[in-house]
Amino acid sequence: MRHALIFAAGLGERMRPLTNHTAKPLLEAGGKRLIEWHLEKLAAIDVHYVVINTSHLAEQFPEALGDGSRWGLRIRYAYEGPTPLETGGGMLNALSLLGPEPFITVSADVWTDADLAALPAEPRGTGHLLMVDNPAHHPSGDFGLDDQGLIHQEGNAPRLTYSGIGVFRRELLDDWRQVIHEAGAGQNPPRFKLRPLFERAIARQQLTGSHYRGAWTDVGTPERLHELDQRLRR
């Protein structure tokens, strides 16, 4: 995998007041911006080209990260406009900047010590999700994961939480208008979540996953950011 997409367009509403003047992915933990941890990991597995989608305080990203050369990367920015396009709309908006091969996606507001090299370069279906144990703030999880690595919505498979990190083929978005019925889908550019497309892939047994049991944090609040910062500085 040579290309990656970093979701960095959120408003960071739960992180206020910190995000009133700083985009959430540019907040620091352990002496680095949250997004820089991901850029280092991507560069370490020979990803060379990274698309970062932006909206809230978008001008801060090129000022802080430049063209990516300090990490040996080439960074392109996909501006979504003043209103973020959600995960599905954001991926669709960035798709023209990504190559034909499967690409890694990373949510900029998570932190993990997972080795991204363990992700499959070629998913069996249209996507592969990195799943983690359910955090205290999301005890019911998102999806089930069976012993064969298939993702399920229901059933006896243990329920886990989607980490915000995955590998996808462009085909995940094929015929997306047949699946997406959110009001924002009719806007230009379209605004919609990825979840309905995940559910279609699950129904077709085209969504796989792997369970990572190491450190992972959804850095969604000032309290969690502070906890992560303290942990990384020990």
Side-chain angles (χ1 to χ4, degrees), residues 2-3 23 63 65 95 119 132 137 141 154 157 177-178 203 209 229:
R2 300 292 183 180
H3 290 191
E63 293 173 1
L65 308 176
L95 206 59
L119 293 168
V132 295
H137 63 273
E154 306 294 341
R177 289 190 184 276
Q178 297 180 13
D229 180 61

Side-chain angles (χ1 to χ4, degrees), residues 130-135 138-146 151 157-163 210-213:
L130 185 68
M131 307 296 289
V132 295
D133 294 329
N134 300 327
H138 189 52
S140 60
D142 294 312
F143 302 111
L145 178 65
D146 69 22
I151 298 287
R159 290 187 68 81
L160 300 169
T161 291
Y162 174 42
S163 69
S210 51
H211 184 186
Y212 181 65
R213 295 172 172 81

